[in-house]
Every structure is written in C-alpha cells, then in structure tokens.
Amino acid sequence: RIAKCRAVFHSGFDKAGVPVVVCVGKNFPVHLPEHKVLSHCIQVMDPATTREYCLVYFHTTCTGPRKDLNLLQTVFSNAPSRYKTNLKALYSVHASRLQRIMSGGLQYRKLRR
C-alpha cells in the first residue's frame, strides 16, 4: 500500500553507474503511521546505500502540513552510518526557502559558483 504512493523509489543509475533514489514530497502518505513509512523508506533505500548513491528530493506542489522533511531527517538519524557516508549527492528540486535555510544553503551556494 505504501509502495503504491511512490514516495520513495529507486529510479535507476546515473551516467557514472551510481544508484539514484528519488523522494517525492507530495506523495508521502500523511495518514499512515510514521514507523510504517519509515520502515518502507529504509527498505527501499537499503540496497542503494551499500555503495555511493544519489538522493533526489522533489518538493514540487507540496502544500499543507507534510511530514516528508522530518521523515527524511528521521531516516538519516536512525539508519546505519553508511546512509550518510555513502551519500554522494543530495539534490533538492524546487526547494522552499525554509529548506534552503535549514540546509545552510550549501547546495545552493555550490550551484551558484
């Protein structure tokens, strides 16, 4: 049932052969318990995290109360350390101003240079 939402899925590989995991903010189920969504995220992301991987987060058309950002933070804080160490790149597409402030604007500054 959670997989049908397509909130987190393995999208394929980039040109360098690095696995790409996609998170779509508007597809995160708000009505389901957080622990079920969290376990699904870890289940989907786990095969990709055994080596370097890219994470692409789409914030497009997210309105209302969403728990997607908190959920991603929870995944990275509760998951094994390889989730952080093997993360090659994190791309946030259509990030809100608050997201850019929370992340320190690091990705934004890197892209502007």
Side-chain angles (χ1 to χ4, degrees), residues 33-43 71 74-75 78:
E34 186 173 299
H35 70 278
K36 287 188 177 189
V37 179
L38 179 63
S39 65
H40 173 71
C41 289
I42 291 175
Q43 179 185 4
L71 187 68
T74 305
V75 167
N78 292 327

Side-chain angles (χ1 to χ4, degrees), residues 7-69:
V8 180
F9 58 94
H10 184 263
S11 176
F13 299 90
D14 66 4
K15 289 183 181 182
V18 176
V20 177
V21 177
V22 175
C23 298
V24 183
K26 72 173 186 171
N27 292 348
F28 274 89
V30 179
H31 60 282
L32 293 175
E34 186 173 299
H35 70 278
K36 287 188 177 189
V37 179
L38 179 63
S39 65
H40 173 71
C41 289
I42 291 175
Q43 179 185 4
V44 170
M45 291 176 66
D46 200 52
T49 61
T50 57
R51 59 186 185 134
E52 281 192 333
Y53 71 101
C54 293
L55 182 64
V56 181
Y57 172 72
F58 290 94
H59 192 72
T60 310
T61 67
C62 284
T63 57
R66 310 257 12 130
K67 59 181 179 180
D68 48 1
L69 286 176

